[in-house]
């Protein structure tokens, strides 16, 4: 992550984010996420959001969900993520 923070510090307009695998994402705490610059996107597997939608709801405007087969998979999450990354479309 240090390279991402350096890039973001040099160019605040850059669209940067951090990517987590499912196991890593499941261990994240609200405190850890709140320590990150608010303009950074949080790239997470949609299965993690599905497992803890209430936890992720405050961060919805920063979420970039990956691993979806169709956009419809995100419809019942109870939140509206900023970005959906859909495989095969």
């Amino acid at each position: 992550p240090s390279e991402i923070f350096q890039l973001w510090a040099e160019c605040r307009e850059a669209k940067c984010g951090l990517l987590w695998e499912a196991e890593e994402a499941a261990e994240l705490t609200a405190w850890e996420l709140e320590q990150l610059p608010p303009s950074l996107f949080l790239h997470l597997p949609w299965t993690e959001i599905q497992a803890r939608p209430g936890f992720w709801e405050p961060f919805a405007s920063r979420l970039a969900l990956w691993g979806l087969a169709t956009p419809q998979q995100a419809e019942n999450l109870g939140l509206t993520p900023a970005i959906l990354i859909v495989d095969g479309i």
Side-chain angles (χ1 to χ4, degrees):
S2 63
E3 291 85 3
I4 297 295
F5 295 138
Q6 288 174 344
L7 172 64
W8 181 75
E10 293 294 322
C11 181
R12 299 292 173 126
E13 297 82 32
K15 301 255 186 221
C16 297
L18 301 171
L19 174 82
W20 285 282
E21 296 293 335
E23 289 179 13
E24 296 170 316
E27 295 175 2
L28 289 168
T29 66
W31 183 86
E32 290 171 315
L33 295 170
E34 290 165 358
Q35 302 311 302
L36 298 173
S39 61
L40 294 180
F41 282 95
L42 311 172
H43 293 255
L44 299 151
W46 84 275
T47 54
E48 168 52 23
I49 307 305
Q50 184 181 35
R52 309 190 289 168
F55 173 82
W56 293 106
E57 200 282 324
F59 306 100
S61 65
R62 301 170 59 189
L63 295 178
L65 305 188
W66 55 267
L68 293 99
T70 68
Q72 290 74 25
Q73 286 181 294
E75 290 179 356
N76 295 319
L77 291 175
L79 55 87
T80 304
I83 300 168
L84 295 178
I85 302 169
V86 180
D87 299 333
I89 292 184

